[in-house]
Structure formats: structure tokens, C-alpha cells
Amino acid sequence: MKKIVTLLSLLFLTLLGIITVFPFIYMILGGLMTYREATSIPPTVIPDSFQWVNYFTVFEKAPFIQYFINTLFVSLVTTVATVLTSLFAAFALATLEFRYKKVVMVGLISLLMIPYESIIFTNYNTIARLGLLNSYTALILPFLTSIFYIYYLTNYLKSISRSFYQAAKIDGASDMEYIKKILIPMSKPALVTVGILTFISSWNSFLWPLLVTNDKKFRLLNNGLSAFTSESGSDVHLQLAAATLTVLPIVLIYFIFRKEIIRGVAKNGIKG
């Protein structure tokens, strides 16, 4: 009976895996098809010959290189800022003692319950009144920190024995020296996880860039892909090629760093 249950579980997981992966595989293959193959009924699964020229055509029809540069710049700045601000805030909440510390934690947890959609127009009005629309600052400023990652890192840092901090203070180390030489090396899995997830989230952002930018000069990849889908009309094969260009970097990043993500999430909350 146990073997049957195991077999059925494996079959079920395999089926779910195929359902999940197939759209991505078809997107990649569709980007290498001709227009006739991409629109044929029944649909063509594997093209007769790979049309690599589709990718060159995409770059000719839309400034995807500029979109890549914009997205990479915004994602990197957002990631670095989020990791640093979350780390310093988490260090204060997990290690230092100060008045109203519990009140601050309750406030942060309360803010986590507020849907992003309910404050996005408030943020837009703030950015507009500051005259920052159509700028990199507008794309970056609201995402320089994350309450969720502050809370996540706080729980992670609590698993590090306080005796390390006390020993560092006895040796005359400052808080910055403790963070640099002890805390960062010991919390590397969590920091890598925060960095990767922040980068992926920033890379995939769509709604906020759509609100604060109208100029192609500041357009990010997903917004560029949406505009290209409208501008390219019925060129389905080109749209699939453009979608592949947008998704592939994130897929590669995930596969490269998947072990670090799992390690950082799995260790969170385990007392050392």
C-alpha cells in the first residue's frame, strides 16, 4: 500500500511539473518559430528550423537593450539598498535594547497587513508632487527598504547567540565592526536570500513603473514587453521571443542560487 501511495504521489508531482514547465518550454520554442508555425492549428510544438533571427528582429523593433539596462540598474540599486536597510534595522531589533522596542515590532507587523494596492496611489501622489515622475528616482525611492525582509531578518538574527555581540563589545568592537566581521558572515544565507528575492521582485515589477514612467527612456522590461505586444500586432512569434528575453535571466538566476534560497529560508527561526 505504501509503495502505491508513493507511486501515485510521484505521478501527481510529475504531472504538476509538466503542467508548470510546459508553458515556459513552449514560449522558448515559440520564439524560434516562423509566424505560420506559431499561429498554426493544431499548434506546432517543435519548429522545423530554429529562427534565431526573431531575436534580432525584436531588438530592431523595440529598444530592449535600453529596457535591460534600466531594469538591471533599478534592480541592483533596489537590491543593495533593501539588503543594507533591512540588515541594519533587523540588527537593532534583534540585538540592541531600547525603549518601545516591542511597540516598533508591533507597528512593523501591522504594516505588513496593509495591501500594497491600498498605498500605491498615495506613493504616486507623493512622487508626483516632488516632481520625480519619469525618473530613476521614482522607480527606486519607494523600494529602498522592505518591512517584510526586516521582519524576516530580525527572526533570523535572533537565532544567532547574543554572546557573540557581548564578546565583541568586550573586545572593544563597535556595532559596525560587529556587523561587518561577525553578523554578515554568520547571516550570509539569509542575506543572499533577501538579495535574490528582492532582485527578482524588482526585475518583475510592472504596475509601479507603469504609473510613474511614460518615457521609453525609463521603461523597464515588463512594461517594454507590454508595449511591444501592442505595437507588434499579430507577430506572435516575435512576442514569444521578447517574452523569453524577459523571463530567461530570472530563471537562470533562480537555478544558480536556488540552494542559497532554500538554505536561507530553511534555517530561519532555528535557534543556534
Side-chain angles (χ1 to χ4, degrees), residues 115-129 133 142 207-208 210-212:
Y116 172 70
E117 290 77 8
S118 65
I119 62 173
I120 189 170
F121 289 108
T122 302
N123 288 340
Y124 173 81
N125 287 332
T126 303
I127 293 296
R129 291 180 180 181
L133 294 178
L207 181 57
W208 179 252
L210 184 65
L211 287 175
V212 299

Side-chain angles (χ1 to χ4, degrees), residues 93 98-110:
L93 293 170
F98 55 90
R99 294 181 64 184
Y100 307 116
K101 180 177 177 178
K102 292 184 179 180
V103 175
V104 174
M105 283 298 299
V106 171
L108 291 176
I109 295 173
S110 300

Side-chain angles (χ1 to χ4, degrees), residues 4 42 54 68 82 227 257 262 270:
I4 295 176
N54 290 347
F68 266 105
T82 299
F257 295 103
I262 295 172
I270 298 177

Side-chain angles (χ1 to χ4, degrees), residues 153-166:
L153 284 177
T154 299
N155 287 333
Y156 190 95
L157 297 185
K158 285 181 178 179
S159 68
I160 299 175
S161 176
R162 186 176 171 79
S163 60
F164 289 103
Y165 178 70
Q166 294 171 341

Side-chain angles (χ1 to χ4, degrees), residues 18-157:
I18 293 173
I19 294 174
T20 303
V21 173
F22 178 76
F24 293 99
I25 295 176
Y26 185 77
M27 177 183 67
I28 295 172
L29 294 175
L32 296 171
M33 294 179 184
T34 63
Y35 172 77
R36 176 175 292 182
E37 290 173 332
T39 57
S40 64
I41 300 177
T44 303
V45 178
I46 300 177
D48 292 333
S49 61
F50 293 148
Q51 303 295 317
W52 299 104
V53 70
N54 290 347
Y55 289 97
F56 295 99
T57 305
V58 166
F59 283 111
E60 290 175 358
K61 289 196 171 186
F64 271 92
I65 293 179
Q66 182 65 48
Y67 300 161
F68 266 105
I69 294 173
N70 292 344
T71 307
L72 183 62
F73 173 72
V74 171
S75 299
L76 287 176
V77 173
T78 302
T79 299
V80 173
T82 299
V83 171
L84 290 178
T85 55
S86 300
L87 174 62
F88 291 139
F91 162 72
L93 293 170
T95 307
L96 301 181
E97 296 295 336
F98 55 90
R99 294 181 64 184
Y100 307 116
K101 180 177 177 178
K102 292 184 179 180
V103 175
V104 174
M105 283 298 299
V106 171
L108 291 176
I109 295 173
S110 300
L111 289 173
L112 282 175
M113 301 178 184
I114 301 175
Y116 172 70
E117 290 77 8
S118 65
I119 62 173
I120 189 170
F121 289 108
T122 302
N123 288 340
Y124 173 81
N125 287 332
T126 303
I127 293 296
R129 291 180 180 181
L130 291 174
L132 297 176
L133 294 178
N134 282 317
S135 68
Y136 291 115
T137 304
L139 294 169
I140 295 171
L141 189 60
F143 305 101
L144 293 179
T145 191
S146 167
I147 295 175
F148 173 77
Y149 290 130
I150 291 174
Y151 180 71
Y152 166 75
L153 284 177
T154 299
N155 287 333
Y156 190 95
L157 297 185

Side-chain angles (χ1 to χ4, degrees), residues 207-265:
L207 181 57
W208 179 252
L210 184 65
L211 287 175
V212 299
T213 58
N214 295 317
D215 193 339
K216 286 186 177 181
K217 179 181 177 181
F218 301 104
R219 187 176 285 172
L220 301 189
L221 264 177
N222 282 319
N223 306 109
L225 176 61
S226 178
F228 179 75
T229 302
S230 302
E231 295 167 0
S232 60
S234 59
D235 293 334
V236 179
H237 57 309
L238 297 182
Q239 295 171 13
L240 292 173
T244 302
L245 289 173
T246 304
V247 173
L248 198 56
I250 291 300
V251 173
L252 293 175
I253 289 174
Y254 175 78
F255 277 109
I256 292 172
F257 295 103
R258 67 186 185 280
K259 291 183 179 179
E260 284 76 7
I261 296 175
I262 295 172
R263 189 181 301 117
V265 173

